[in-house]
Amino acid sequence: MFEFLFLLTFALVLVFTGVSIIGMMIAVAAGFAIMAVVGMLGLVIKLLPWIVLIAIAIWLVRDNKKSTRIQRSSISYTSLLIC
């Protein structure tokens, strides 16, 4: 909501200062693009602890699966040698 109010105020200031409609539309589009990128960056920073936690959980699960596969393959190989 804050972004919308900012863009609306920005457009009105441009109109009152005498900027053409095309210039105003280009400035509003550029402002929207910059605010969208900054908003997404802020969201990533806000969610960064959860992203790190999920990455660690995935890493631990994959590591556990690898060690289980290695143990199973070594057990089956040693059982073949014993027989």
Side-chain angles (χ1 to χ4, degrees):
M1 188 67 188
F2 174 75
E3 290 86 1
F4 178 71
L5 291 175
F6 174 79
L7 287 175
L8 187 63
T9 306
F10 184 58
L12 288 175
V13 168
L14 289 175
V15 167
F16 289 136
T17 57
V19 177
S20 67
I21 297 294
I22 293 177
M24 184 190 71
M25 290 171 53
I26 291 171
V28 168
F32 176 77
I34 290 170
M35 291 185 75
V37 169
V38 170
M40 285 187 272
L41 182 64
L43 184 65
V44 167
I45 291 171
K46 183 178 179 181
L47 295 176
L48 191 60
W50 293 105
I51 294 171
V52 169
L53 183 66
I54 291 169
I56 290 172
I58 290 172
W59 177 65
L60 289 173
V61 168
R62 285 185 179 176
D63 191 46
N64 190 17
K65 284 184 180 180
K66 284 182 185 177
S67 64
T68 305
R69 269 194 232 142
I70 291 171
Q71 288 174 355
R72 286 183 186 169
S73 65
S74 66
I75 291 172
S76 62
Y77 182 72
T78 55
S79 64
L80 288 175
L81 290 176
I82 293 173
C83 295

